[in-house]
Amino acid sequence: MTTSELAVCSNCGSVNRLPTFRRAEEARCGKCRKHLFSGHPDDVDGATFERQITRSTLPVLVDVWAPWCGPCQVMAPAYEAAARELEPRIRLIKLNSDAEQTVAAKLGIRGIPTMILFHRSKEIGRATGAMSAGQIVRWVRERIPLHPADA
């Protein structure tokens, strides 16, 4: 049984240990002291994205988007609402495909918005196209078994 999870701070990139007996909602980064979970998906750069995927033991949902994309703009409030519901069991982040073209190409992004779900460095799900908050939450829960109280 795991007694702690590892979460990467989207602000400074530090890896933080989250003991399972403490409320993760209140967790702060040990280095920069910012809240690890705010219910707001952070827009990350390529290095922070890579660190989130490879160092976190929490599942990570990435929204690959671009500022000029209409469907991305429509989905942004739904993605934020999904973050409020799924965090801290799932980390939600955003990756701007225009600013991070190399990462987007490496991920094989063909259309946006695209959501990719990672767990322990492996891609376990991918969906392209705008979704509502309820659809995002359902899609994640179908791929990641959460606690019974979360169902």
Side-chain angles (χ1 to χ4, degrees):
M1 181 175 178
T2 304
T3 59
S4 65
E5 294 281 358
L6 298 177
V8 176
C9 177
S10 292
N11 183 60
C12 71
S14 293
V15 179
N16 292 267
R17 190 168 301 281
L18 301 174
T20 54
F21 58 86
R22 290 199 182 139
R23 290 180 43 86
E25 294 89 339
E26 298 165 1
R28 290 184 178 268
C29 175
K31 183 176 181 183
C32 72
R33 305 304 302 157
K34 295 215 176 204
H35 282 283
L36 291 174
F37 303 101
S38 64
H40 174 78
D42 293 316
D43 203 355
V44 299
D45 62 18
T48 304
F49 163 79
E50 193 67 33
R51 198 157 172 84
Q52 288 281 3
I53 300 309
T54 60
R55 298 294 307 274
S56 179
T57 59
L58 296 171
V60 178
L61 181 62
V62 182
D63 172 24
V64 183
W65 70 288
W68 52 263
C69 169
C72 298
Q73 299 302 320
V74 168
M75 191 174 94
Y79 194 71
E80 187 156 337
R84 287 190 298 272
E85 189 164 339
L86 293 170
E87 283 189 348
R89 289 167 204 83
I90 310 286
R91 162 74 77 194
L92 279 78
I93 59 175
K94 296 174 70 75
L95 183 77
N96 181 333
S97 62
D98 281 355
E100 299 296 337
Q101 293 179 11
T102 303
V103 177
K106 180 179 157 189
L107 292 171
I109 301 301
R110 303 275 183 245
I112 53 175
T114 293
M115 290 188 312
I116 306 173
L117 184 59
F118 293 91
H119 192 219
R120 301 196 184 269
S121 302
K122 292 186 171 91
E123 180 178 328
I124 60 171
R126 181 181 289 232
T128 301
M131 292 186 191
S132 69
Q135 289 171 319
I136 294 168
V137 169
R138 239 182 338 276
W139 184 83
V140 169
R141 287 184 173 161
E142 288 170 358
R143 284 148 186 83
I144 298 287
L146 300 176
H147 303 290
D150 299 330

